[in-house]
Amino acid sequence: MENIDPRVKRTKKMFKDALKELMMVHDDYMDITVKELCEKAGLNRRTFYLHYETIDDVLVDIQEDFTIEFYEKTKQYDHIKDIEPVVRAFFDMSEESPIYGKMVLSPSQDYLREIIRSKAVAKLDETNNLKGIRNLDIITQNMVEQYYHMTVVSIYREWVRQRRIMKKEDAIKLASSLIKNGLSSILR
């Protein structure tokens, strides 16, 4: 890990915390201005542009923090064989953190989530947590990774949209079963 000046860490944290707060009151993070973010953080625009080019860059930093947290919670699992605990960690993190849950639920952030998904896959590759699909050609690997990711995100979104009527554990088992065995696992 690179050695980052503590003042830079503190400044970036102030911007990230301010953006998280603003995201909880705005329907769409794209409505947040740099001016508003700087005012909330108690920092000036010059400081913002010293560390970031756009608000999206701050959001990427926030999502990267969640990616690291998710990795730490799931690094002991083979993400291909141990699907259920990985899906459970995703649901738990989305429920435990209102801002993460909002990010998962927001379609306007799909492209940023894809950037972070790619970074997460790279991190999982470093530690061999995706070895179960590495014998496949690269195009198939990418499709499997995308299927896995979108299945979990879509089921989580629908579970929330349905007001969490289904027990969380049942939604986790459904997502895990669909990822592992497809529709044939639930159709009779």
Side-chain angles (χ1 to χ4, degrees):
M1 179 178 248
E2 61 187 83
N3 195 7
I4 300 174
D5 184 322
R7 293 171 295 179
V8 171
K9 283 183 181 178
R10 186 173 53 251
T11 300
K12 285 187 164 193
K13 183 179 182 329
M14 290 171 73
F15 281 121
K16 290 188 291 188
D17 289 347
L19 183 57
K20 288 176 190 177
E21 286 183 42
L22 290 170
M23 287 175 67
M24 292 311 295
V25 296
H26 284 272
D27 288 333
D28 190 337
Y29 88 98
M30 296 176 89
D31 296 334
I32 300 168
T33 64
V34 171
K35 179 183 178 195
E36 184 180 14
L37 178 61
C38 290
E39 287 172 0
K40 187 69 163 173
L43 299 165
N44 63 46
R45 289 173 68 93
R46 187 170 170 258
T47 302
F48 175 84
Y49 287 111
L50 183 64
H51 298 284
Y52 297 105
E53 289 183 28
T54 67
I55 289 177
D56 283 358
D57 296 333
V58 182
L59 191 57
V60 167
D61 263 6
I62 291 169
Q63 289 186 321
E64 208 160 272
D65 292 345
F66 286 119
T67 298
I68 291 166
E69 183 181 346
F70 180 75
Y71 169 75
E72 286 301 317
K73 288 184 177 194
T74 63
K75 67 183 178 184
Q76 71 272 26
Y77 302 112
D78 177 323
H79 283 224
I80 302 303
K81 291 181 180 174
D82 305 319
I83 294 171
E84 196 169 310
V86 173
V87 172
R88 183 173 292 105
F90 176 85
F91 269 68
D92 288 348
M93 281 183 63
S94 298
E95 292 295 290
E96 292 164 4
S97 171
I99 191 65
Y100 188 63
K102 188 168 185 170
M103 287 167 37
V104 169
L105 296 171
S106 172
S108 68
Q109 296 178 36
D110 283 346
Y111 82 99
L112 289 170
R113 236 185 338 276
E114 180 56 26
I115 293 168
I116 298 306
R117 186 197 67 79
S118 297
K119 289 180 180 185
V121 166
K123 180 71 171 169
L124 292 169
D125 273 344
E126 286 175 19
T127 56
N128 215 17
N129 289 71
L130 293 172
K131 63 184 172 217
I133 62 170
R134 291 306 173 231
N135 61 325
L136 305 171
D137 65 87
I138 192 71
I139 292 171
T140 304
Q141 288 178 40
N142 290 338
M143 289 181 179
V144 169
E145 291 162 5
Q146 191 68 288
Y147 169 76
Y148 193 143
H149 172 77
M150 290 311 296
T151 300
V152 176
V153 169
S154 296
I155 288 180
Y156 178 78
R157 283 178 173 173
E158 185 60 19
W159 178 68
V160 171
R161 193 179 79 70
Q162 295 289 335
R163 295 183 171 86
R164 297 171 175 86
I165 292 171
M166 178 184 278
K167 292 179 186 173
K168 182 168 84 169
E169 192 61 30
D170 292 341
I172 291 166
K173 287 183 184 302
L174 175 62
S176 302
S177 180
L178 286 171
I179 292 165
K180 195 170 190 171
N181 303 309
L183 283 175
S184 63
S185 65
I186 60 169
L187 299 177
R188 310 238 185 259

